[in-house]
Amino acid sequence: MKKTIYFLAAAVLALLSGCAAKDDTEKKIDSLVSKMTLHEKVGQMNQLSGGEWLAEAVEKGEVGSILNCTDPAELNRIQRIAVEKSRLGIPLLIARDVIHGFKTIFPIPLGLAATFDPELVEKGARISAIEASASGIRWTFSPMLDIARDPRWGRIAEGSGEDPFLDAIMGAAMVRGYQGDGDSTSIAACIKHFVGYGAAEGGRDYNTTEITERSLRNVYFPAFKAGVDEGAMTLMTSFNANDGIPSTGNKWLIKDILRDEWGFDGLVVTDWNSAGEMIAHGFAKDLKEATGKALDAGVDMDMMSYGYISFIEELVKEKKISEKQIDDAVRRILRLKFKLGLFDNPYIDEQRAGEKLYAPEHLEAAKQSAVESAILLKNDGVLPFKGVNTLLVTGPLADAPYEQLGTWAFDGEESHTVTPLEALKKEFNVIYEPGTEYSRDKGTALVARARSAAARADAAVVFVGEEAILSGEAHSLSDLNLQGAQSELIAAVKQSGKKVVVVVIAGRPLTIGRDLENCNAMLYSFHPGTMGGEAVADLLTGKAVPSGKTPVTFLKDAGQAPFYYNHFNTGRPNNGTETLLDDISLKAGQTSLGCTSYYLDSGYGPLFPFGYGLSYTTFEYSGLTLDKMSYSNGDTIEARVNLSNTGEYDAVEVAQLYVRDLVGSVVRPVKELKGFQRVEMKAGETKEVTFSLPVADLAFWTLNDGYAVEKGDFQLWIAGDSASGEPVSFSID
Ligand code: NOJ
């Protein structure tokens, strides 16, 4: 009893002191704002990239935040100017794209999504924050929450793939990891790019989008809403114009949805010159008008268009923008700086800046992430290797320390990267032949050498894929086959008659169908980061067992894009009995090949569905039951299934729960992921796996333009991928 009273008293005190601290901060903000000239206020709203001339602008109070400077000594120098020489001494907020690690590079976000392991993803983001903050970076432009249904889009590498549910969970995990407990290792997360950027027409970066409000709300908003609910401190607008309105000038998006509907009170920043780009979009006639539109939409900080610093004062004088609006934006910026403790502690301890980098536990987490992100797409039993002494290692990605880090890994250093070649040399007697010089190399001079070397080995591993530069921003592709002579290399090595394992290191799901035919096993590792080599070696030798699952649909052909598992059924769904052009029975002069929704050449289905991935063991699902047949709003559905590990390896299975809402006021997806669990299973073990699904999670944006769970019939199933599983029925009454 005594203990409880003490606990309650302590909690009340903590709460009161929390409120007092909050009030104190607000008072400090008020006092600062009251002392600021309009020019200084505008300065806080201006974000610039590092450069020689920056010092002068900082001293004049014309810069609130800088990006792209990571040298601790240089950052201290510039911060000293802000704190000690500018009139009000307001510290700078230092930003950087820490996307999948700072120095210790984790797998690209798409690979992280393949782990289906939010705890590990959170841990990775925490480590990134620890490393980055030690070097003075207190704001990262991550996580990218853009739904990507088209692998031609190069930035598919930077997000969690095609599924709103997985995206929301992974995004929230990253926000938690970056922001931590709010101590000096906390860095502000920035959920981006708001919104719809990944739906670029044709997968071409920066391209137009045409997303309806319903799709925004059902598909593109949920991860952003989850990020806001998780307390993300900042948000970035996107480059694209949706329905004719560039996001940076979209008042409905920023004011009505983000601020009013979701209650976001953090900082909104433009993307790089996205205010200025509204001129090229044809949405503003000049930078002044673009600035006015961005401000009017509710954007607080201008990244690199120089519009805010050049025109806000004029716009205020002309009464086109109120000073109150500027004050609100400045308050949000100052609040963030206070929250991050920058006023108390603006400098970096240069002596210790390097201590936190590449710590053994960071490398260990990066390796674990790389292990869990790898997806086994094919295995005829060759893996894990048994009785292999001499191994041919070939391919342009076998020993490419920079390329294996992937896109947006500016700060990761090649010298710390362990390549697959290096790691495999510790396990096997390795014969190494590059095969081709780099992924786009069309030359076949080295291919023959690799083929003949295979004859001297017990087995071969061919490392193919994409150089880092082939995915990421502005790096879209229309051809998703392996580039250069890589497919020829795989086929040539196969001709040796030896067992061939292909490891794909890439930024997107490539169309690897023909390569699958030329190998005995394929492991898809995306860009696995600093520790990718050791992770792959552990997987090939069986020290680790693959558990990754595809976070996006893998296509047979780029022409199938956009393709996603949670599509609508259409009025003419294909039931898998398609007639294909290369069907031998097809005769010239035939007038109809059927009347359903599919491609004559690549058919209906994908190469691999969403959620797919093999293991060295096998799993069986049986006996799915629900606790009831019908539910009401407010209920929670309890689903149980028996999961058996029917093989010989202890392993992890990602059990996935899917739902179908059979009839709606608007058409509903053929399936939607609503839950997943990584289940650790001993060989031979059977476990009951339970899922609790709140009925509220079945809500969507209905015909009545509101979120609701509609009454009616549903199906639910639990399986190892999105294309398997036997549904059971239930209803919402
Ligand atoms: C442009 C990119 O779209 C955005 O994601 C990134 O954060 C900024 N540049 C800053 O580098």
Side-chain angles (χ1 to χ4, degrees), residues 676-693:
F676 60 82
Q677 288 177 39
R678 286 178 60 86
V679 191
E680 280 182 31
M681 302 283 298
K682 296 265 176 240
E685 187 183 17
T686 294
K687 263 187 188 168
E688 187 181 70
V689 180
T690 58
F691 282 88
S692 299
L693 174 67

Side-chain angles (χ1 to χ4, degrees), residues 67-68 97 99 141 144 155 158 192-193 197 206 236 239 271-272 303 408 410 473:
L67 73 160
N68 292 341
D97 288 281
I99 306 296
F141 301 125
M144 187 190 94
R155 301 196 82 169
E158 296 175 46
K192 72 183 189 186
H193 307 84
Y197 180 42
Y206 313 118
M236 185 187 290
F239 285 126
D271 200 342
W272 184 285
M303 182 196 292
W408 291 108
F410 300 130
E473 186 177 348

Side-chain angles (χ1 to χ4, degrees), residues 112-120 170 368-369 371-374 545-549 621 643 651-656 675-681 687 689 691:
L112 289 174
T115 67
F116 282 70
D117 189 345
E119 282 88 33
L120 188 61
M170 291 309 191
Q368 184 60 23
S369 304
V371 164
E372 291 187 18
S373 69
V545 177
S547 61
K549 300 276 186 171
Y621 291 78
L643 178 61
V652 169
E653 165 73 335
V654 179
Q656 302 156 46
F676 60 82
Q677 288 177 39
R678 286 178 60 86
V679 191
E680 280 182 31
M681 302 283 298
K687 263 187 188 168
V689 180
F691 282 88

Side-chain angles (χ1 to χ4, degrees), residues 510-551:
L510 293 167
T511 46
I512 30 80
R514 65 178 169 158
D515 309 299
L516 275 170
E517 286 164 21
N518 286 329
C519 65
N520 301 87
M522 184 181 281
L523 189 67
Y524 210 95
S525 93
F526 296 107
H527 289 288
T530 305
M531 298 300 285
E534 282 193 15
V536 167
D538 278 9
L539 288 162
L540 297 182
T541 53
K543 285 184 194 157
V545 177
S547 61
K549 300 276 186 171
T550 52

